[in-house]
Amino acid sequence: MAVISVVLDHTATTVLYDPKHPCNEAVAASYVRASGGLGDLSAPVLTLTAGDVERPGPLGYIKGLRVIRLDEALDTDAAVTATELLRFGHSWAAIHAARPSPAHPTGRFLLTLTPKAYAGTGVQAVHPGR
């Protein structure tokens, strides 16, 4: 079975933090797959920070989960991506993490409650409830 690489945006981390959210079980399934070695799960720190401003709690919760890797790199490539995407009002950190890279040549899935917000960015945005 192939390993599925997934990036969580701020909406997906908020869902994982809230056990009563209708999509919690679907997002938690990604965590379970990663725990079993069937997936790779990450969340950009800057995206988590922005999400925690909107609703306090998810950043500390996600930080405590051993399977989710926190992406912290803000290199020149990320800065170029940020500049391009901020001009169009996009959440750049999650997009940069999900785009193709040397570690993930085909890119990674972006798990989000707002896939339309990522239209035209070159990433595969997926709603956990669909």
Side-chain angles (χ1 to χ4, degrees):
M1 191 172 228
V3 172
I4 298 173
S5 295
V6 176
V7 175
L8 303 174
D9 81 345
H10 66 289
T11 63
T13 58
T14 299
V15 167
L16 190 58
Y17 176 68
D18 181 2
K20 294 181 182 177
H21 193 283
C23 293
N24 176 271
E25 192 173 309
V27 177
S30 294
Y31 183 81
V32 171
R33 278 193 299 277
S35 296
L38 300 175
D40 176 76
L41 202 54
S42 66
V45 170
L46 293 174
T47 296
L48 289 171
T49 302
D52 215 60
V53 168
E54 291 176 19
R55 179 178 180 199
L59 176 58
Y61 177 72
I62 298 299
K63 180 182 174 196
L65 297 176
R66 65 177 175 77
V67 175
I68 299 176
R69 187 182 71 252
L70 299 179
D71 290 337
E72 299 182 45
L74 182 58
D75 56 16
T76 306
D77 290 336
V80 169
T81 300
T83 302
E84 292 170 357
L85 295 170
L86 284 170
R87 286 183 186 134
F88 294 100
H90 293 294
S91 171
W92 69 271
I95 295 168
H96 177 70
R99 282 186 168 173
S101 66
H104 300 279
T106 60
R108 298 186 275 181
F109 291 100
L110 179 60
L111 198 58
T112 178
L113 294 182
T114 58
K116 288 182 181 177
Y118 297 97
T121 61
V123 299
Q124 296 178 17
V126 179
H127 190 287
R130 297 183 182 115

